[in-house]
Amino acid sequence: MNTITAYHISITGVVQGVGFRPFVYNLAQRMGVTGWVLNHSGGVDIEVEGATATVETFITALELEAPPLARITSLTKVPIDPGEHTHFEIRHSEAQVGRYQLISPDVATCPDCVRELFDPADRRYRYPFINCTNCGPRFTIIADIPYDRPNTTMHIFPLCEHCRAEYTDPTNRRFHAQPNACPVCGPQVWIDESTNYESQITNHESLYATPHLSTDTVFAKAKALLLAGKILAIKGLGGFHLACDATNAQAVRLLRKRKRRPHKPFAVMVATMDAVKQHCEVPPLAESLFASPQCPIVLLERRPNSPIVDEVAPNSHVLGMMVPYTPLHHILLRDVGCPLVMTSGNLTEEPIAKDNDEALCRLAPLADAFLLHNRDIYARYDDSVVQIVQISAPESQRIANCELQITKPSSPLTLHTSSFTPQLLRRARGYAPMPVQLPFELPQVFAAGPQLKNTFCLTRDANAFVSQHIGDLETLETLEHYETTLATYQHLFRLSPERVACDLHPDYLSTRFAWQFAQAHQLPTPRPVQHHKAHIAACLADNGFAPEEGDVIGVAFDGTGYGEDGTIWGGEWFVGGYSGFRRAAHLEILPLPGGDAATRNPWRIAVAYLYALLGPEEFPAGQFCPAEAGLIRQQIAHQINTPLTSSMGRLFDAVSALLGVCHTTTYEAQAAIELEQQAFSAWRAVLAPHNHSDQSFAYAEQGIPSPYPFGFTCDNDTYILRLAPLFSALLEDIARGGDIPQIALRFHVTVAEMAIQVCEYIRENTGLNTVALSGGVFQNSILLQLTVSRLTAAGFRVLLHRQLPCNDGCVALGQAVLAGYGQ
């Protein structure tokens, strides 16, 4: 006789909006158990009753067979008395005060919905808002939890009879798919070509009125506009895009002029994976990323015969490629039949527009027409950006790599199966708001983040909720976006911070906001955290590095961060862990005439470094204007607005200008990026015939140029890298007419050699063998490959960022960890 067993089961994680309840219901039907399942504000609860062996199999299957988008973080079961249940049912959701749950990011259109979208016999044929339990909008439409339709922006669209039948059928793919809709009952699209936007905005109802044109007519007009060279503002999933024909140089130049973005590369969207391969080299990992639920922008090497015009990505061998991730984009790209520039709908440095009235006002000077719809966006989200790097290392070495979620969050990619690894450059749609799982619990901390590439972080238990990419906190509009997003996270995840962390720089907008936040909520004084120490702490937390694993060597290379000595840091080596870090080494401190003005004019940095290191007589003829260079030298001599810096980013800027690659910039890190592009042709020639996984790494044997010389001194147990030998050798190469790509590559090799030599010195003195790499300079794929190869060949364990960018998008996590650990 079978023993009857019953349990009450509580599950937390991403278990709402991912088809978990219908999965549980159908599993129960299949196994013949009774009970119920319901959503609540903290997750999912289940009661199950049946034969003991069957119930145990049922519980095991909850984790093993969970839907692809589900992520179970905890499952607890408590025995209860059997005999209460006669069948299995799905109960209504419950709101529970103080409870919180994880919320799924938005999900790219699934293959089933794409098939239906282009099936003339399907009732959702060419319907631009088709979705199901496995795909569609999530976080961008949620106003509250539990995740039910009344708590989303879909609440204004009553379901028709057919959609309601799907919605209430537990065996249907659209059971409780909250955005479920069809052409009869759901959102609609229309084209707006008028220019009298002010009158439309005053008549708010017209912005959401049911359009009179058919969907086919709307997309036909959009196609005609784009092929005529016009710029179209398109309302998407988390905000607006600005689109134009990527094969039309005049259209791209016009978009650059209107957007005030003269050089920074644009992303390009094409209809299919086959179309991506027509324009770029596509490794298998890239195909996996494009087919993933996250479907980010992926940087790929462009093919020389691609018709995409050079104006899309000036001075670059790579293109940021996208494939459609919403049904609206699927229809548009197939109809237009050519690659489209698809860039964020904003003026440079402003947040992406998300509402119809906002877009009609803010984007009117940029767009010739608008492709609008009436499904509101609750949370503003940019596209995520990923690059793929090839890292060669001995198989015996452990490398913690970018474990981007390619299939489901619990199945990360590991470097052991391939030399290719993904690296996040911008974390937004598809990845946020999934938290970073910490190796310890923290009190509730609000970390305000940095000034540039801002994200904030909120912690609760062992979850660190790092926001989507906010942007540079330099405008009122971006600050408003920051505050709105912070309020959304606090509300949805039921967060009430107990302490506040911020950057050490007192004048950053994020720092000022942190102080205001603490005062308004009567919290203790914010804890200032040094920027680069936050970088390394973030890398440790990003890897789940446990405190008991001990201290590490941290290498933080980036452009700027306020140092504890009042100088600008950015070429740093640390020793320490979550309890704190000691500055163990840094680049030589050099003048930065004009501060921010120098970062926009790298030639100033080159002149300053040559003057400070080699004296006024060492100056390459014809490279810079003598009169202007003379003024810079006077500015340095008299110490007029000349802060001091140890920044690795500024060193890249100086070399870029010295080689004539980039004298002035129009976007952050342009000089360094273009220097990497110069080095790429030489680097590609090296990669082709050689295998860099050999432990006995020898530059000449590998076809890699030897590093330039540099020096060391020691000051109070701190190593200082001296750069005069480097610049002397650079000038010699320039004077003899050396090949610029080869010189650029040799400089990259030199920086990697700096990293390894200092780490080896520190290991000799401390015995530490784990190295954490962070900072925006490590977005340079050549430098990253060289550095990791050298470190692993020397026997180091290397930690790279896994879930967050290595740029300033990770800093808030490090602030939160250093402010909250041990408290």
Side-chain angles (χ1 to χ4, degrees):
M1 181 176 178
N2 289 330
T3 304
I4 301 301
T5 299
Y7 285 102
H8 182 92
I9 303 167
S10 294
I11 301 176
T12 63
V14 180
V15 288
Q16 295 189 23
V18 293
F20 199 80
R21 284 181 299 171
F23 154 70
V24 173
Y25 176 88
N26 289 311
L27 183 65
Q29 296 298 313
R30 192 179 85 209
M31 295 189 173
V33 296
T34 60
W36 51 260
V37 58
L38 65 78
N39 280 350
H40 58 77
S41 303
V44 168
D45 279 0
I46 302 168
E47 285 197 1
V48 60
E49 179 178 332
T52 299
T54 305
V55 168
E56 293 298 334
T57 302
F58 171 87
I59 293 172
T60 301
L62 289 175
E63 294 191 272
L64 293 180
E65 300 180 25
L69 300 178
R71 178 179 176 182
I72 295 175
T73 56
S74 71
L75 186 155
T76 59
K77 61 179 183 178
V78 177
I80 59 175
D81 294 332
E84 297 292 324
H85 309 102
T86 59
H87 63 285
F88 201 92
E89 64 179 343
I90 297 174
R91 293 188 173 179
H92 292 296
S93 300
E94 294 180 355
Q96 298 181 0
V97 177
R99 300 290 301 277
Y100 78 105
Q101 66 185 58
L102 305 186
I103 299 173
S104 169
D106 294 350
V107 181
T109 311
C110 70
D112 287 334
C113 283
V114 172
R115 175 180 51 78
E116 293 172 347
L117 181 66
F118 294 109
D119 180 0
D122 193 277
R123 72 187 187 92
R124 293 186 176 88
Y125 175 59
R126 290 177 59 85
Y127 179 57
F129 303 97
I130 188 173
N131 66 87
C132 70
T133 306
N134 299 320
C135 68
R138 295 292 190 275
F139 194 76
T140 55
I141 64 169
I142 296 175
D144 207 347
I145 54 172
Y147 175 54
D148 288 316
R149 195 179 182 97
N151 291 332
T152 73
T153 60
M154 287 296 295
H155 74 276
I156 64 172
F157 298 103
L159 292 165
C160 68
E161 180 181 349
H162 293 295
C163 288
R164 180 160 295 282
E166 296 169 331
Y167 185 85
T168 56
D169 179 2
T171 66
N172 192 284
R173 196 174 91 246
R174 293 187 169 89
F175 174 73
H176 276 232
Q178 307 307 337
N180 187 32
C182 74
V184 174
C185 65
Q188 302 293 323
V189 292
W190 67 95
I191 283 278
D192 192 321
E193 297 181 80
S194 61
T195 56
N196 188 13
Y197 298 115
E198 291 185 1
S199 65
Q200 292 187 53
I201 292 169
T202 57
N203 182 15
H204 187 268
E205 292 184 0
S206 68
L207 298 176
Y208 297 93
T210 302
H212 300 292
L213 297 177
S214 69
T215 299
D216 284 347
T217 303
V218 168
F219 282 101
K221 289 178 71 68
K223 173 182 177 180
L225 287 164
L226 289 165
L227 294 182
K230 302 298 184 181
I231 297 168
L232 186 63
I234 302 170
K235 187 177 183 181
L237 197 59
F240 278 76
H241 285 120
L242 291 169
C244 72
D245 181 354
T247 65
N248 183 331
Q250 184 177 351
V252 177
R253 286 194 294 267
L254 179 61
L255 178 57
R256 288 199 174 280
K257 180 180 179 181
R258 291 181 181 178
K259 195 173 163 68
R260 301 177 194 169
R261 184 169 163 169
H263 301 110
K264 190 175 182 180
F266 287 136
V268 175
M269 183 179 282
V270 294
T272 64
M273 191 65 247
D274 287 341
V276 177
K277 293 177 180 179
Q278 293 174 12
H279 302 286
C280 295
E281 301 292 339
V282 183
L285 177 55
E287 292 194 56
S288 297
L289 288 166
F290 286 128
S292 72
Q294 294 78 24
C295 197
I297 298 170
V298 182
L299 303 189
L300 298 171
E301 184 181 349
R302 69 178 297 164
R303 291 182 180 274
N305 59 348
S306 169
I308 295 173
V309 296
D310 292 340
E311 285 82 355
V312 167
N315 302 318
S316 178
H317 72 279
V318 298
L319 291 171
M321 298 301 294
M322 313 168 69
V323 295
Y325 56 84
T326 75
L328 185 151
H329 291 106
H330 274 286
I331 296 170
L332 179 65
L333 267 294
R334 292 206 186 192
D335 285 5
V336 173
C338 71
L340 297 179
V341 166
M342 199 69 69
T343 187
S344 53
N346 58 3
L347 198 61
T348 296
E349 306 307 334
E350 290 184 357
I352 186 173
K354 75 177 180 70
D355 299 321
N356 290 349
D357 52 356
E358 175 193 11
L360 289 168
C361 181
R362 285 177 50 200
L363 304 184
L366 283 68
D368 297 304
F370 292 79
L371 177 55
L372 302 172
H373 63 73
N374 54 352
R375 185 179 69 197
D376 284 344
I377 298 168
Y378 191 79
R380 197 185 311 259
Y381 262 68
D382 282 289
D383 294 308
S384 295
V385 182
V386 174
Q387 73 173 352
I388 296 172
V389 292
Q390 185 175 6
I391 297 179
S392 300
E395 292 184 4
S396 61
Q397 297 301 320
R398 176 182 174 187
I399 299 178
N401 71 303
C402 300
E403 295 182 1
L404 301 189
Q405 298 147 7
I406 300 223
T407 52
K408 56 186 293 186
S410 59
S411 302
L413 178 80
T414 60
L415 190 61
H416 305 295
T417 60
S418 173
S419 58
F420 291 94
T421 186
Q423 182 185 37
L424 261 176
L425 304 183
R426 184 169 72 195
R427 180 179 180 268
R429 175 188 54 77
Y431 297 100
M434 287 301 300
V436 174
Q437 298 294 310
L438 301 174
F440 42 74
E441 292 194 356
L442 288 179
Q444 293 198 37
V445 178
F446 161 52
Q451 179 81 349
L452 303 178
K453 291 183 171 62
N454 177 273
T455 63
F456 59 79
C457 180
L458 293 158
T459 61
R460 181 170 180 177
D461 304 325
N463 291 318
F465 295 95
V466 180
S467 74
Q468 72 269 30
H469 170 81
I470 300 294
D472 298 347
L473 287 182
E474 295 180 334
T475 66
L476 177 61
E477 292 84 0
T478 307
L479 179 61
E480 290 173 349
H481 171 31
Y482 178 95
E483 294 185 50
T484 300
T485 306
L486 175 61
T488 297
Y489 272 65
Q490 284 186 261
H491 176 68
L492 290 178
F493 299 116
R494 308 303 194 248
L495 297 165
S496 299
E498 303 162 20
R499 51 178 52 88
V500 179
C502 63
D503 195 273
L504 186 64
H505 198 300
D507 293 328
Y508 279 175
L509 206 53
S510 58
T511 303
R512 294 178 180 178
F513 180 84
W515 281 79
Q516 294 170 2
F517 184 94
Q519 293 172 355
H521 293 81
Q522 298 181 327
L523 296 175
T525 299
R527 159 83 181 274
V529 177
Q530 201 282 323
H531 182 92
H532 301 97
K533 294 181 178 182
H535 263 293
I536 303 305
C539 187
L540 298 185
D542 199 355
N543 280 276
F545 189 86
E548 54 269 25
E549 294 185 72
D551 287 349
V552 303
I553 302 168
V555 184
F557 289 171
D558 71 357
T560 185
Y562 191 66
E564 292 168 347
D565 58 0
T567 65
I568 300 170
W569 291 6
E572 314 300 320
W573 287 257
F574 298 101
V575 169
Y578 295 118
S579 297
F581 293 95
R582 173 181 67 84
R583 193 186 193 194
H586 60 83
L587 290 184
E588 183 172 0
I589 295 173
L590 294 167
L592 191 66
D596 288 344
T599 65
R600 294 188 294 271
N601 297 276
W603 68 268
R604 287 176 174 242
I605 306 174
V607 169
Y609 281 19
L610 289 175
Y611 177 73
L613 293 169
L614 305 177
E617 66 279 0
E618 294 290 347
F619 197 73
Q623 188 70 281
F624 309 112
C625 172
E628 291 181 336
L631 291 174
I632 295 300
R633 290 197 292 267
Q634 291 182 37
Q635 186 176 358
I636 295 169
H638 294 89
Q639 299 181 4
I640 301 171
N641 187 23
T642 303
L644 301 175
T645 184
S646 60
S647 166
M648 182 62 77
R650 301 294 78 84
L651 178 59
F652 269 82
D653 290 348
V655 173
S656 183
L658 192 60
L659 297 181
V661 175
C662 182
H663 283 187
T664 61
T665 67
T666 59
Y667 65 91
E668 185 192 9
Q670 180 180 350
I673 290 169
E674 293 187 0
L675 183 65
E676 180 188 2
Q677 299 300 319
Q678 284 290 324
F680 177 78
S681 59
W683 176 241
R684 188 176 187 184
V686 167
L687 283 180
H690 296 287
N691 178 4
H692 297 286
S693 61
D694 189 347
Q695 290 245 26
S696 58
F697 192 101
Y699 287 109
E701 294 175 8
Q702 302 293 341
I704 298 174
S706 60
Y708 285 112
F710 53 90
F712 283 100
T713 59
C714 190
D715 182 11
N716 294 325
D717 296 326
T718 302
Y719 293 106
I720 301 173
L721 282 85
R722 299 297 179 182
L723 301 178
L726 164 63
F727 277 88
S728 291
L730 273 170
L731 290 178
E732 289 176 7
D733 273 357
I734 293 170
R736 65 176 176 79
D739 179 64
I740 296 301
Q742 281 291 334
I743 297 173
L745 178 57
R746 191 179 179 193
F747 171 71
H748 281 72
V749 171
T750 306
V751 175
E753 189 66 16
M754 290 177 180
I756 180 62
Q757 285 198 25
V758 175
C759 288
E760 287 181 327
Y761 287 148
I762 294 172
R763 180 167 61 180
E764 289 174 6
N765 293 327
T766 64
L768 297 176
N769 200 54
T770 298
V771 178
L773 304 180
S774 191
V777 169
F778 285 114
Q779 291 178 162
N780 183 314
S781 61
I782 298 175
L783 176 64
L784 186 65
Q785 292 174 66
L786 286 166
T787 304
V788 172
S789 295
R790 292 286 285 116
L791 286 170
T792 54
F796 284 99
R797 173 193 179 191
V798 180
L799 304 180
L800 306 178
H801 283 278
R802 304 164 60 214
Q803 304 162 79
L804 302 179
C806 64
N807 61 37
D808 284 4
C810 75
V811 167
L813 173 62
Q815 292 175 350
V817 168
L818 290 177
Y821 179 72
Q823 299 299 314

